[in-house]
Amino acid sequence: MAVKKTLIPWSSAKPAPVVMISGNEPVLIRMAKDRIVTAARKSDPEEIEFDAAGYQGGELLMAASPSLFSSSKLIVVDSVEKCSEAFLADALTYLDDPNDDAVVILLHGGGNRGAKLVKKIEANGFPRVDAAALKNESDRAKFAQGRFKAAKRQIDEPGMAALMSALGADLSELNAGVDQLVEDTEGTITAAIVDQYYGGRVEATGFKVADAAVGGDAKSALSLLRHALSTGSDPVPLVAAVAMKLRGMAKVQGFSGSSGELASELKMAPWQVDRARREVRRWNEVALGQSLIAAAEADEAVKGGGRDPVYAVEWFVSEVCRLARQR
């Protein structure tokens, strides 16, 4: 019989006799662990922590056994991906007869070490929390939307686009940004509010340049670009921001269907699909193809393949503006 998969999202994490948090994304690990620990502490447990890498035989079994000092236990085991043979043997044994009055949290940072333990956790029906890194912007946008929803706050589509432009590349920064906007603002969060807090970031500036360039507004695009360069912005992320917008437009070109359906297929957020569709309507296929070639050339030039990275990014933005005006 096939093993039942018990992988759950961090937002569903809750106490269980044994629960493993799997992955290497610090934000998700912390949030999943906090959910479990906060709930488990309601029973005023005895709390014990140790590291699986330096584990000595018998520690887990002794820590989880009933105690005279508390009827419940909360045990956190770190670095299970580096566990000793002694820990692996004891953990496999413990899974056969866990203490129902204990909550044992196993933190596994990924890799093959402890694979037998992962399989047995799933075979025995214990939860395994997914804390793997969110590798694409669509997943990070869903994370941010979920955080706003949990806080009973709304952010409109332009506001989310602005937030992702400014902070979407790094989950820890995005999470901190959501916290700040929830705490410091009231009502619906708009692009103007996001820009007030994060509009000066290099990433935000890059996406403002990209918005102007694909719209064919050469004056605004080059003005924003030169201001960014004069204040120390690196050409590499500026080129990357424009190239990302062009690739998004290329992805949606020629596709029909709802934004929700396409978002799943193209690994984009629905608001990204809608925005890319609006922008690509002003472009013809040949010009868009030429702009993508220009993006590849500029990317190579600013990463050491050209003599002057500043010239390369200025040429690229000018070229995108020119191509955007072709009909």
Side-chain angles (χ1 to χ4, degrees):
M1 184 173 69
V3 173
K4 180 183 177 182
K5 295 295 183 182
T6 57
L7 194 66
I8 61 174
W10 70 268
S11 55
S12 297
K14 59 183 179 180
V18 177
V19 55
M20 175 176 279
I21 301 176
S22 297
N24 58 359
E25 175 51 67
V27 172
L28 301 185
I29 293 169
R30 175 176 55 79
M31 297 182 79
K33 180 183 171 184
D34 286 350
R35 283 180 60 89
I36 299 169
V37 168
T38 298
R41 281 178 174 163
K42 292 178 181 178
S43 63
D44 194 25
E46 179 184 352
E47 298 188 29
I48 303 167
E49 295 188 17
F50 54 83
D51 192 301
Y55 179 88
Q56 300 296 315
E59 282 185 299
L60 174 61
L61 304 178
M62 182 179 297
S65 63
S67 168
L68 296 173
F69 303 102
S70 177
S71 60
S72 60
K73 299 285 190 77
L74 174 59
I75 302 165
V76 179
V77 185
D78 203 358
S79 303
V80 174
E81 75 281 2
K82 302 175 184 176
C83 67
S84 66
E85 287 295 329
F87 174 80
L88 186 57
D90 282 357
L92 290 169
T93 298
Y94 181 73
L95 285 174
D96 291 329
D97 186 24
N99 178 5
D100 289 336
D101 291 324
V103 174
V104 178
I105 304 173
L106 305 175
L107 304 180
H108 192 296
N112 294 324
R113 184 65 176 162
K116 288 182 180 178
L117 183 58
V118 173
K119 288 181 180 178
K120 191 163 184 177
I121 284 172
E122 291 186 334
N124 288 17
F126 293 116
R128 191 161 63 89
V129 180
D130 185 4
L134 303 182
K135 295 182 179 180
N136 62 66
E137 189 181 42
S138 176
D139 288 339
R140 292 190 290 274
K142 289 177 183 176
F143 168 84
Q145 286 281 18
R147 294 289 327 282
F148 284 120
K149 185 177 180 180
K152 298 181 179 179
R153 293 293 304 278
Q154 289 188 335
I155 181 169
D156 64 18
E157 184 177 312
M160 178 56 73
L163 181 62
M164 294 304 297
S165 295
L167 304 177
D170 184 278
L171 192 66
S172 61
E173 291 190 349
L174 180 60
N175 184 55
V178 171
D179 284 341
Q180 184 173 27
L181 289 169
V182 166
E183 184 174 342
D184 292 357
T185 67
E186 296 180 353
T188 298
I189 298 165
T190 64
I193 291 173
V194 174
D195 200 53
Q196 178 183 346
Y197 282 85
Y198 306 113
R201 291 179 58 88
V202 171
E203 295 89 341
T205 301
F207 282 96
K208 288 176 183 176
V209 171
D211 286 341
V214 301
D217 186 351
K219 182 178 179 180
S220 294
L222 290 171
S223 176
L224 286 164
L225 175 63
R226 286 162 184 162
H227 175 72
L229 293 169
S230 69
T231 55
S233 295
D234 190 282
V236 173
L238 294 170
V239 167
V242 181
M244 182 183 296
K245 182 171 282 289
L246 292 169
R247 287 195 295 270
M249 292 163 55
K251 281 183 178 181
V252 304
Q253 190 174 46
F255 278 92
S256 59
S258 71
S259 57
E261 292 170 343
L262 283 183
S264 177
E265 183 176 347
L266 300 176
K267 298 188 182 301
M268 299 169 70
W271 60 264
Q272 289 176 303
V273 173
D274 289 336
R275 184 176 64 180
R277 278 176 155 175
R278 288 194 299 270
E279 290 164 338
V280 81
R281 290 191 192 109
R282 300 192 294 266
W283 284 68
N284 67 59
E285 292 185 11
V286 174
L288 184 55
Q290 290 173 335
S291 74
L292 290 169
I293 293 172
E297 293 174 353
D299 183 69
E300 181 182 4
V302 297
K303 291 179 178 177
R307 294 182 179 180
D308 188 344
V310 171
Y311 170 79
V313 67
E314 288 188 339
W315 167 82
F316 174 46
V317 170
S318 297
E319 184 71 358
V320 172
C321 291
R322 181 185 70 82
L323 291 167
R325 294 192 295 270
Q326 290 187 4
R327 295 291 184 265

